[in-house]
Amino acid sequence: MYMDDYKRWLAADLEDSALTEELRRIEGQDSEIKDRFAVALKFGTAGLRGVLGAGSNRMNIYVVRQATQGLANWVKTQGGSQLVAISYDSRINSDVFAKTAACVLAANGIKVRIYDALMPVPALSFATRYYGANAGIMVTASHNPAKYNGYKAYGPDGCQMTDDAAAIVYAEIQKTDILTGAKMISFQEGIDQGLIQYVGEDCKEALYDAIKARSVRPGLCKTAGLKLVYSPLNGSGLVPVTRVLHDIGIDDITIVPEQKDPDGNFPTCPYPNPEIFEALRLGLELAQKSGADLMLATDPDADRVGIAIKCPDGSYELVSGNEVGVLLLDYICQGRIENGTMPENPVAVKSIVSTPLADAVAQNYGVEMRSVLTGFKWIGDQIAGLEAQGQVDRFIFGFEESYGYLAGPYVRDKDAIIGSMLICEMAAYYRSIGSSIKERLEAIYAKYGRYLNKVDSYEFPGLSGMDKMAGIMDSLRNNPPADFAGYKVVKVTDYLKPEVTGLPAANVLIYSLEGGASVVVRPSGTEPKIKTYFTTLGKDLAEAQAQKDQLTAALKPLLA
């Protein structure tokens, strides 16, 4: 079967000659052909993601056309505006794939609003809502290595597509012939017919205004003299992040020169991921040279932001996503209470794998903390629920340990633009009172206890990888460990049982241990990895780290 598909692609007159060359190169190589054609990239709530190249199991214009035809078939049943918003980041072929999607939609009589230059995830979520669109498309593979690209699909609320809608789109995709099934007109035809239009300046400005409106202490940054190093990691963050920071009064911004311009090859780091040291290394070197107060980096689609802070001894320290989430929650609560802008019955939301320290901080300020499944759409879902009740202003903050933050209901996905703004404002505030982010973090630990949160990943590459991962999860379910490293398991929460958790079913296991530590095991939704999340609590960092190391050693053989 896969060999037939390969021969059909090889015989076809493909518009992208690079794909034909790739197919010729692998002639006679069964494993290479199988890898590209034995399966198709699956369309889910996160859309598509895969390695660039030829075949149904790769990202290319034909896979994008087929997916967009499936999406168009669904949109046509939805009534409403019959419009789709599109944005894209700096990855290889992101602009090509975005325009390809626009051409398919226009050929189906569906209107398109597409950004005239790369813009991040929050801008796509905002435009989807601003134009009352039926759907949104963001062409990105987030922080994956350079050889990947992807296609995220959004619903009319600006949140990633629901399971139900994604299932219908997937069914439509499967009915569409990958090479010939999608309707197409040229991009210019779409523009000439008035079906394809660029996103207007009014929409862009409205996004910036919505972000600046969530400032906790407006005007503070104008006089704080904050010195910043920023890296967009060769992605889409440069224009929106620096625009908002300049607007709030932060002008001393040094951009990491090697990572300033959009470049889908990401030449300075293997993963353009603000969670890893290697991606921040050049920024840290520049911060040390310039004596910056703070170093920020956003990922290619600018929905996540990582930071390094200056310590009292002049060194720089990376701050984890959990720590930034807790710091921002603490800062927003404290500031809004102080300024009288805290809503009644405020709500914050975090994912189930994020630190329980946030629950303690929320409780301290009288904020209801809701825990949801991993994936920012579930945080968006909580905002939508509040909106439906006419109480959307109760939402003050949402975060995930994987460096995603949102403070406000203007979009329904994580937003590194507002994350960057609030982190800088927080740094400026602590500086203005003779303190620092580092000192505040230590004060939080002194008050609530020394929590340590760490994530380990185990990769399962190749076609058999998913089967191995499924086998490991089955084994953990059917033969649950009684203890890890001598720490007794006091409770196992299986998120495949919605009747127990009150949340939609998800392939996640949480082991609560004697003494307050916990271990979470979940397969990644976007990569062939099983992730393990550890929370340990000690009298100091060394004690918390020692327990984490013991737990890792105990878990490792179970994931072999």
Short mmCIF file of all heavy atoms in Angstrom, two decimals, residues 408-447:
data_model
loop_
_atom_site.label_atom_id
_atom_site.label_comp_id
_atom_site.label_asym_id
_atom_site.label_seq_id
_atom_site.Cartn_x
_atom_site.Cartn_y
_atom_site.Cartn_z
N GLY A 408 -5.61 37.75 31.26
CA GLY A 408 -6.70 38.49 30.61
C GLY A 408 -7.37 37.63 29.56
O GLY A 408 -6.77 36.71 29.02
N PRO A 409 -8.64 37.95 29.26
CA PRO A 409 -9.43 37.09 28.38
C PRO A 409 -9.42 37.50 26.91
O PRO A 409 -10.20 36.98 26.12
CB PRO A 409 -10.84 37.26 28.97
CG PRO A 409 -10.86 38.68 29.46
CD PRO A 409 -9.46 39.00 29.90
N TYR A 410 -8.54 38.43 26.52
CA TYR A 410 -8.55 38.99 25.16
C TYR A 410 -8.11 37.96 24.11
O TYR A 410 -8.42 38.09 22.93
CB TYR A 410 -7.64 40.23 25.09
CG TYR A 410 -6.22 39.94 25.48
CD1 TYR A 410 -5.26 39.64 24.53
CD2 TYR A 410 -5.85 39.91 26.84
CE1 TYR A 410 -3.97 39.30 24.89
CE2 TYR A 410 -4.57 39.58 27.21
CZ TYR A 410 -3.64 39.28 26.23
OH TYR A 410 -2.36 38.93 26.60
N VAL A 411 -7.33 36.93 24.53
CA VAL A 411 -7.01 35.79 23.66
C VAL A 411 -7.26 34.52 24.46
O VAL A 411 -7.48 34.58 25.67
CB VAL A 411 -5.54 35.80 23.13
CG1 VAL A 411 -5.29 36.98 22.22
CG2 VAL A 411 -4.53 35.76 24.26
N ARG A 412 -7.18 33.36 23.79
CA ARG A 412 -7.46 32.10 24.47
C ARG A 412 -6.31 31.12 24.30
O ARG A 412 -6.51 29.93 24.18
CB ARG A 412 -8.77 31.49 23.94
CG ARG A 412 -9.97 32.37 24.19
CD ARG A 412 -10.25 32.55 25.69
NE ARG A 412 -10.94 33.79 25.97
CZ ARG A 412 -12.25 33.94 25.95
NH1 ARG A 412 -13.02 32.93 25.66
NH2 ARG A 412 -12.77 35.11 26.24
N ASP A 413 -5.10 31.66 24.24
CA ASP A 413 -3.92 30.80 24.21
C ASP A 413 -2.84 31.54 24.97
O ASP A 413 -2.97 32.71 25.30
CB ASP A 413 -3.49 30.51 22.76
CG ASP A 413 -2.80 29.14 22.62
OD1 ASP A 413 -2.22 28.68 23.63
OD2 ASP A 413 -2.85 28.55 21.53
N LYS A 414 -1.75 30.84 25.24
CA LYS A 414 -0.68 31.49 26.00
C LYS A 414 -0.07 32.61 25.17
O LYS A 414 -0.07 32.56 23.95
CB LYS A 414 0.36 30.48 26.45
CG LYS A 414 0.79 29.47 25.41
CD LYS A 414 1.48 28.30 26.10
CE LYS A 414 1.95 27.26 25.10
NZ LYS A 414 0.88 26.43 24.57
N ASP A 415 0.45 33.62 25.86
CA ASP A 415 0.87 34.85 25.18
C ASP A 415 2.18 35.35 25.75
O ASP A 415 2.23 35.86 26.86
CB ASP A 415 -0.22 35.91 25.32
CG ASP A 415 0.16 37.23 24.69
OD1 ASP A 415 1.22 37.30 24.04
OD2 ASP A 415 -0.60 38.21 24.85
N ALA A 416 3.26 35.21 24.97
CA ALA A 416 4.57 35.67 25.44
C ALA A 416 4.69 37.19 25.39
O ALA A 416 5.62 37.74 25.98
CB ALA A 416 5.67 35.04 24.59
N ILE A 417 3.78 37.86 24.70
CA ILE A 417 3.85 39.34 24.66
C ILE A 417 3.45 39.88 26.03
O ILE A 417 4.18 40.65 26.65
CB ILE A 417 2.96 39.95 23.55
CG1 ILE A 417 3.11 39.22 22.22
CG2 ILE A 417 3.27 41.43 23.37
CD1 ILE A 417 2.08 39.62 21.16
N ILE A 418 2.28 39.43 26.52
CA ILE A 418 1.87 39.91 27.86
C ILE A 418 2.78 39.31 28.93
O ILE A 418 3.07 39.97 29.93
CB ILE A 418 0.39 39.60 28.16
CG1 ILE A 418 -0.09 40.52 29.31
CG2 ILE A 418 0.16 38.14 28.51
CD1 ILE A 418 -1.58 40.55 29.49
N GLY A 419 3.25 38.08 28.71
CA GLY A 419 4.19 37.49 29.66
C GLY A 419 5.43 38.37 29.80
O GLY A 419 5.85 38.70 30.92
N SER A 420 5.98 38.80 28.66
CA SER A 420 7.18 39.65 28.67
C SER A 420 6.89 40.98 29.35
O SER A 420 7.69 41.48 30.15
CB SER A 420 7.66 39.90 27.23
OG SER A 420 8.00 38.68 26.61
N MET A 421 5.73 41.58 29.04
CA MET A 421 5.38 42.87 29.63
C MET A 421 5.27 42.78 31.15
O MET A 421 5.84 43.61 31.88
CB MET A 421 4.05 43.38 29.05
CG MET A 421 3.61 44.72 29.65
SD MET A 421 1.97 45.26 29.14
CE MET A 421 0.92 44.41 30.35
N LEU A 422 4.56 41.77 31.64
CA LEU A 422 4.36 41.66 33.09
C LEU A 422 5.63 41.26 33.83
O LEU A 422 5.86 41.71 34.96
CB LEU A 422 3.23 40.68 33.40
CG LEU A 422 1.82 41.18 33.04
CD1 LEU A 422 0.79 40.07 33.19
CD2 LEU A 422 1.43 42.39 33.90
N ILE A 423 6.47 40.44 33.20
CA ILE A 423 7.76 40.08 33.82
C ILE A 423 8.62 41.33 33.97
O ILE A 423 9.22 41.57 35.02
CB ILE A 423 8.48 38.99 32.99
CG1 ILE A 423 7.76 37.64 33.16
CG2 ILE A 423 9.94 38.86 33.40
CD1 ILE A 423 8.11 36.61 32.09
N CYS A 424 8.66 42.16 32.91
CA CYS A 424 9.45 43.41 32.98
C CYS A 424 8.86 44.37 34.01
O CYS A 424 9.61 45.00 34.77
CB CYS A 424 9.49 44.08 31.60
SG CYS A 424 10.52 43.20 30.42
N GLU A 425 7.54 44.47 34.05
CA GLU A 425 6.90 45.36 35.02
C GLU A 425 7.19 44.90 36.45
O GLU A 425 7.46 45.71 37.34
CB GLU A 425 5.39 45.39 34.75
CG GLU A 425 4.66 46.45 35.55
CD GLU A 425 3.16 46.41 35.29
OE1 GLU A 425 2.73 46.77 34.19
OE2 GLU A 425 2.43 45.99 36.20
N MET A 426 7.14 43.58 36.63
CA MET A 426 7.44 42.99 37.95
C MET A 426 8.88 43.30 38.35
O MET A 426 9.15 43.71 39.49
CB MET A 426 7.19 41.48 37.86
CG MET A 426 7.58 40.68 39.08
SD MET A 426 6.94 38.98 39.00
CE MET A 426 7.97 38.25 37.72
N ALA A 427 9.82 43.13 37.41
CA ALA A 427 11.23 43.43 37.69
C ALA A 427 11.41 44.91 38.03
O ALA A 427 12.14 45.26 38.97
CB ALA A 427 12.09 43.06 36.48
N ALA A 428 10.71 45.77 37.28
CA ALA A 428 10.80 47.22 37.51
C ALA A 428 10.23 47.57 38.88
O ALA A 428 10.80 48.41 39.61
CB ALA A 428 10.04 47.96 36.41
N TYR A 429 9.13 46.91 39.27
CA TYR A 429 8.52 47.20 40.56
C TYR A 429 9.45 46.82 41.70
O TYR A 429 9.70 47.62 42.62
CB TYR A 429 7.18 46.47 40.69
CG TYR A 429 6.63 46.54 42.10
CD1 TYR A 429 6.16 47.75 42.63
CD2 TYR A 429 6.61 45.41 42.93
CE1 TYR A 429 5.69 47.83 43.93
CE2 TYR A 429 6.14 45.48 44.22
CZ TYR A 429 5.68 46.69 44.72
OH TYR A 429 5.22 46.77 46.02
N TYR A 430 9.98 45.59 41.67
CA TYR A 430 10.85 45.17 42.77
C TYR A 430 12.10 46.03 42.83
O TYR A 430 12.57 46.37 43.91
CB TYR A 430 11.18 43.67 42.67
CG TYR A 430 9.96 42.81 42.93
CD1 TYR A 430 9.57 41.80 42.07
CD2 TYR A 430 9.15 43.05 44.06
CE1 TYR A 430 8.42 41.04 42.30
CE2 TYR A 430 8.00 42.31 44.29
CZ TYR A 430 7.64 41.31 43.41
OH TYR A 430 6.51 40.57 43.64
N ARG A 431 12.59 46.42 41.68
CA ARG A 431 13.75 47.31 41.66
C ARG A 431 13.40 48.66 42.29
O ARG A 431 14.19 49.24 43.05
CB ARG A 431 14.16 47.50 40.20
CG ARG A 431 15.46 48.23 40.05
CD ARG A 431 15.77 48.49 38.58
NE ARG A 431 16.70 49.59 38.53
CZ ARG A 431 17.66 49.71 37.66
NH1 ARG A 431 17.82 48.80 36.75
NH2 ARG A 431 18.46 50.74 37.68
N SER A 432 12.18 49.16 42.00
CA SER A 432 11.78 50.48 42.51
C SER A 432 11.62 50.50 44.03
O SER A 432 11.69 51.57 44.64
CB SER A 432 10.47 50.93 41.85
OG SER A 432 9.36 50.21 42.39
N ILE A 433 11.42 49.33 44.65
CA ILE A 433 11.29 49.29 46.12
C ILE A 433 12.57 48.72 46.76
O ILE A 433 12.56 48.28 47.91
CB ILE A 433 10.04 48.49 46.57
CG1 ILE A 433 10.07 47.03 46.07
CG2 ILE A 433 8.76 49.19 46.11
CD1 ILE A 433 9.03 46.12 46.72
N GLY A 434 13.65 48.71 45.96
CA GLY A 434 14.95 48.28 46.49
C GLY A 434 15.08 46.78 46.67
O GLY A 434 15.90 46.30 47.45
N SER A 435 14.27 46.03 45.93
CA SER A 435 14.33 44.58 46.01
C SER A 435 14.66 44.02 44.63
O SER A 435 15.17 44.73 43.77
CB SER A 435 12.99 44.04 46.55
OG SER A 435 13.03 42.64 46.68
N SER A 436 14.34 42.74 44.39
CA SER A 436 14.58 42.12 43.08
C SER A 436 13.67 40.90 42.95
O SER A 436 13.12 40.41 43.94
CB SER A 436 16.04 41.68 42.95
OG SER A 436 16.30 40.63 43.87
N ILE A 437 13.55 40.40 41.73
CA ILE A 437 12.76 39.17 41.50
C ILE A 437 13.35 38.03 42.34
O ILE A 437 12.62 37.25 42.95
CB ILE A 437 12.73 38.80 40.00
CG1 ILE A 437 11.89 39.81 39.21
CG2 ILE A 437 12.19 37.39 39.80
CD1 ILE A 437 11.80 39.55 37.72
N LYS A 438 14.68 37.95 42.37
CA LYS A 438 15.35 36.88 43.12
C LYS A 438 14.97 36.94 44.60
O LYS A 438 14.64 35.91 45.22
CB LYS A 438 16.86 37.03 42.95
CG LYS A 438 17.72 36.09 43.80
CD LYS A 438 17.63 34.65 43.36
CE LYS A 438 18.59 33.76 44.14
NZ LYS A 438 18.27 32.34 43.95
N GLU A 439 15.00 38.14 45.16
CA GLU A 439 14.66 38.29 46.58
C GLU A 439 13.20 37.92 46.84
O GLU A 439 12.87 37.30 47.86
CB GLU A 439 14.93 39.72 47.05
CG GLU A 439 16.41 40.01 47.27
CD GLU A 439 16.67 41.45 47.71
OE1 GLU A 439 16.02 41.91 48.67
OE2 GLU A 439 17.51 42.12 47.07
N ARG A 440 12.33 38.30 45.90
CA ARG A 440 10.91 37.98 46.07
C ARG A 440 10.69 36.47 46.02
O ARG A 440 9.92 35.91 46.80
CB ARG A 440 10.07 38.67 44.98
CG ARG A 440 8.58 38.45 45.14
CD ARG A 440 8.06 39.06 46.44
NE ARG A 440 6.74 38.57 46.80
CZ ARG A 440 6.18 38.75 47.98
NH1 ARG A 440 6.81 39.41 48.95
NH2 ARG A 440 4.98 38.31 48.24
N LEU A 441 11.38 35.80 45.10
CA LEU A 441 11.24 34.35 44.98
C LEU A 441 11.69 33.66 46.27
O LEU A 441 11.02 32.75 46.77
CB LEU A 441 12.07 33.84 43.79
CG LEU A 441 11.96 32.35 43.48
CD1 LEU A 441 10.52 31.92 43.18
CD2 LEU A 441 12.87 31.99 42.30
N GLU A 442 12.82 34.13 46.83
CA GLU A 442 13.31 33.54 48.09
C GLU A 442 12.30 33.78 49.23
O GLU A 442 12.10 32.92 50.08
CB GLU A 442 14.69 34.12 48.45
CG GLU A 442 15.81 33.67 47.51
CD GLU A 442 15.91 32.16 47.33
OE1 GLU A 442 15.65 31.40 48.28
OE2 GLU A 442 16.21 31.72 46.20
N ALA A 443 11.67 34.97 49.21
CA ALA A 443 10.67 35.28 50.25
C ALA A 443 9.45 34.34 50.13
O ALA A 443 8.89 33.90 51.14
CB ALA A 443 10.23 36.74 50.13
N ILE A 444 9.07 34.04 48.89
CA ILE A 444 7.94 33.12 48.66
C ILE A 444 8.29 31.73 49.19
O ILE A 444 7.49 31.09 49.89
CB ILE A 444 7.57 33.08 47.15
CG1 ILE A 444 6.89 34.39 46.73
CG2 ILE A 444 6.67 31.89 46.84
CD1 ILE A 444 6.71 34.57 45.23
N TYR A 445 9.51 31.26 48.90
CA TYR A 445 9.93 29.94 49.40
C TYR A 445 10.01 29.93 50.93
O TYR A 445 9.65 28.94 51.57
CB TYR A 445 11.29 29.54 48.80
CG TYR A 445 11.21 29.03 47.38
CD1 TYR A 445 12.13 29.43 46.43
CD2 TYR A 445 10.21 28.13 46.99
CE1 TYR A 445 12.07 28.95 45.12
CE2 TYR A 445 10.14 27.65 45.70
CZ TYR A 445 11.07 28.06 44.76
OH TYR A 445 11.00 27.58 43.48
N ALA A 446 10.48 31.03 51.48
CA ALA A 446 10.58 31.10 52.95
C ALA A 446 9.19 31.01 53.58
O ALA A 446 9.01 30.40 54.64
CB ALA A 446 11.26 32.41 53.36
N LYS A 447 8.21 31.59 52.91
CA LYS A 447 6.85 31.61 53.45
C LYS A 447 6.11 30.27 53.27
O LYS A 447 5.43 29.79 54.17
CB LYS A 447 6.05 32.74 52.78
CG LYS A 447 4.61 32.83 53.26
CD LYS A 447 3.95 34.11 52.78
CE LYS A 447 2.52 34.19 53.32
NZ LYS A 447 1.91 35.49 53.11
#
